[in-house]
Amino acid sequence: MVGIVLVSHSFELARGLADLAAQVAGPDVRIEGAGGGPEGSLGTSGDAVQAAIDRAESGDGVVVLADLGSSILTVRHLLEDAANGQVRLADAPLVEGAVAAAVISSTSQPLEVVLQAAEEARGARKL
């Protein structure tokens, strides 16, 4: 199944969202949070993101979702260095995209379909 990595400036946000998405998707989808800087500060660590990608990879690829500015830049920089096409950054809202990607991954869909589900979550209306 396609793995999912959630990158945030906040450790708590990344971990909490990973827990939520995992509860929706079930135990077979690898969902990893990568958030916060050194010593619990706000920020994004390229090493933490790369480690999360490595843990999430099961052979079917990884979809990465990120929250804001520098977290997106961090992921883009990592993907430039290791551009194999199996790790894709979604242009998607973090929460809605994570849940959509997790649900679709749990149905054993390929990388492109999971990525598309995350990105289509942008149009989800709440009212």
Side-chain angles (χ1 to χ4, degrees), residues 40-51:
S41 62
L42 291 179
T44 307
S45 162
D47 291 339
V49 173
Q50 185 61 60

Side-chain angles (χ1 to χ4, degrees), residues 1-114:
M1 290 186 194
V2 173
I4 299 166
V5 173
L6 308 171
V7 182
S8 173
H9 284 76
S10 166
F11 173 83
E12 290 86 2
L13 178 58
R15 182 71 256 147
L17 181 54
D19 289 344
L20 170 67
Q23 288 179 33
V24 173
D28 296 331
V29 179
R30 295 182 186 182
I31 303 172
E32 296 289 334
E39 301 172 16
S41 62
L42 291 179
T44 307
S45 162
D47 291 339
V49 173
Q50 185 61 60
I53 290 169
D54 293 344
R55 289 189 307 270
E57 177 60 74
S58 67
D60 294 323
V62 176
V63 170
V64 181
L65 294 99
D67 62 0
L68 304 167
S70 63
S71 64
I72 295 165
L73 294 175
T74 298
V75 174
R76 290 178 71 180
H77 177 73
L78 287 172
L79 297 184
E80 286 174 6
D81 291 344
N84 65 6
Q86 283 300 104
V87 180
R88 303 285 302 278
L89 175 60
D91 183 11
L94 185 61
V95 175
E96 293 88 343
V99 171
V103 168
I104 297 304
S105 180
S106 73
T107 65
S108 300
Q109 296 298 311
L111 178 61
E112 288 300 321
V113 175
V114 176

